[in-house]
Amino acid sequence: MELSQEEKIIETTAAYVQQALAGAESGHDWFHIYRVWQTARAIAEGESARLPEPAGDGSGVNLLVVELGALLHDIADAKFHNGDEAIGPIKARFFLETLDLPAAIIGQVVNIVQHISFKGGNHFKGQGKGQLSNESQADFYTPELGIVQDADRLDAIGAIGIARAFNYGGFKNRAIYDPAIAPALHMTKEQYKQSTAPTINHFYEKLLLLKDKMNTATGKAMACERHLFMERFLEQFYAEWEGKA
Ligand code: ADP
Ligand code: NI
């Protein structure tokens, strides 16, 4: 079957990202990108079914922008570049300019990469805003950014989110659970990073809060399912801890 021009662009981008992330740590490896990509597509589909057909004037959800944004969103994680949040968008633009794409599409994708990189506006809404180098960054929003951000957050919850959390905790040599150490809400971002709390605490400090941060109705519905799954997991976990299940 002949691939369309857009399908070729997506395929080329996926191949580029896959090789660029070879050797990335497991929290942000190619498989994270793959999941966010598929989830973003599913959300875009859900939103398109819910919303009126995109008008010919460019309003509505642009699926190409969503897919490219999802594929490139972690292309250079600032954590591994001395916190330099400009690297991701620069790398993304550099790559996109090698493809046959309209400048407007490139601009929209780079904006997604840029705004997902600003962790201050990501997981620490409200607390982290002061860390943005440019306050107006926090106000940028497009439906495509909302979809990719939802897909990225969805990868931190549900069965995958549970696996990622314990994987991260194991990497940091943290206990899975310690009844004597209560979850600490309202930590600053710095305190949070220094925390050596058991992994179960991470559910209360972050994972169980994510469903209320969804941008789209489709993302929210998926988040609610995954949230229920985490609640069931925790219930079973505590029951087993006491030998009661
Ligand atoms: P993101 O790319 O979403 O900003 P992070 O680097 O904060 O993600 O986290 C990557 C993965 O590791 C996520 O699934 C997240 O839930 C998990 N993680 C981050 N911090 C902790 C923690 N303190 N305890 C357990 N898991 C964590
Ligand atoms: Ni991500």
Side-chain angles (χ1 to χ4, degrees):
M1 193 192 71
E2 268 294 286
L3 290 183
S4 72
Q5 176 69 6
E6 288 198 1
E7 285 167 335
K8 277 186 201 152
I9 284 174
I10 289 163
E11 202 174 69
T12 306
T13 306
Y16 163 72
V17 173
Q18 191 165 4
Q19 61 81 23
L21 292 182
E25 49 85 33
S26 66
H28 299 93
D29 59 4
W30 160 249
F31 292 127
H32 164 67
I33 304 303
Y34 176 81
R35 294 188 300 264
V36 171
W37 175 29
Q38 298 312 314
T39 305
R41 285 175 52 165
I43 297 172
E45 218 166 88
E47 290 300 285
S48 304
R50 221 172 50 79
L51 301 167
E53 276 294 297
D57 62 1
S59 59
V61 173
N62 185 320
L63 188 58
L64 180 62
V65 171
V66 168
E67 293 199 47
L68 294 177
L71 283 167
L72 291 163
H73 86 274
D74 275 332
I75 193 64
D77 196 306
K79 284 193 282 295
F80 308 109
H81 293 87
N82 302 321
D84 184 353
E85 289 173 335
I87 298 268
I90 289 169
K91 257 183 113 165
R93 176 176 290 282
F94 191 79
F95 168 74
L96 290 166
E97 284 177 352
T98 66
L99 305 174
D100 187 18
L101 277 170
I105 298 279
I106 296 182
Q108 289 179 61
V109 176
V110 170
N111 267 328
I112 291 178
V113 178
Q114 182 168 351
H115 291 88
I116 296 247
S117 304
F118 281 92
K119 301 295 181 187
N122 197 358
H123 299 314
F124 291 84
K125 246 184 192 156
Q127 286 177 35
K129 281 198 174 160
Q131 288 157 351
L132 299 182
S133 55
N134 173 355
E135 203 51 47
S136 70
Q137 302 280 2
D139 302 327
F140 176 88
Y141 184 80
T142 62
E144 291 83 4
L145 168 64
I147 288 169
V148 176
Q149 193 171 51
D150 279 3
D152 196 28
R153 286 178 174 152
L154 279 162
D155 205 49
I157 61 179
I160 299 275
I162 294 170
R164 286 179 85 203
F166 285 102
N167 183 56
Y168 180 100
F171 176 71
K172 294 270 186 179
N173 215 5
R174 295 185 185 169
I176 56 172
Y177 175 51
D178 183 340
I181 305 177
L185 301 174
H186 314 298
M187 278 189 284
T188 66
K189 201 173 174 182
E190 216 28 62
Q191 287 170 322
Y192 188 72
K193 262 167 51 188
Q194 308 290 327
S195 159
T196 56
T199 300
I200 283 285
N201 292 22
H202 187 60
F203 285 75
Y204 302 95
E205 290 159 356
K206 181 170 145 189
L207 306 185
L208 292 168
L209 311 178
L210 287 176
K211 80 162 175 15
D212 291 326
K213 296 193 172 175
M214 294 293 142
N215 302 299
T216 67
T218 309
K220 172 108 187 162
M222 292 173 83
C224 286
E225 289 291 318
R226 295 184 187 205
H227 186 92
L228 282 173
F229 186 86
M230 289 195 295
E231 286 186 332
R232 286 212 310 274
F233 168 81
L234 290 169
E235 222 173 275
Q236 177 76 14
F237 186 99
Y238 297 127
E240 290 181 15
W241 193 269
E242 300 298 340
K244 289 185 178 145

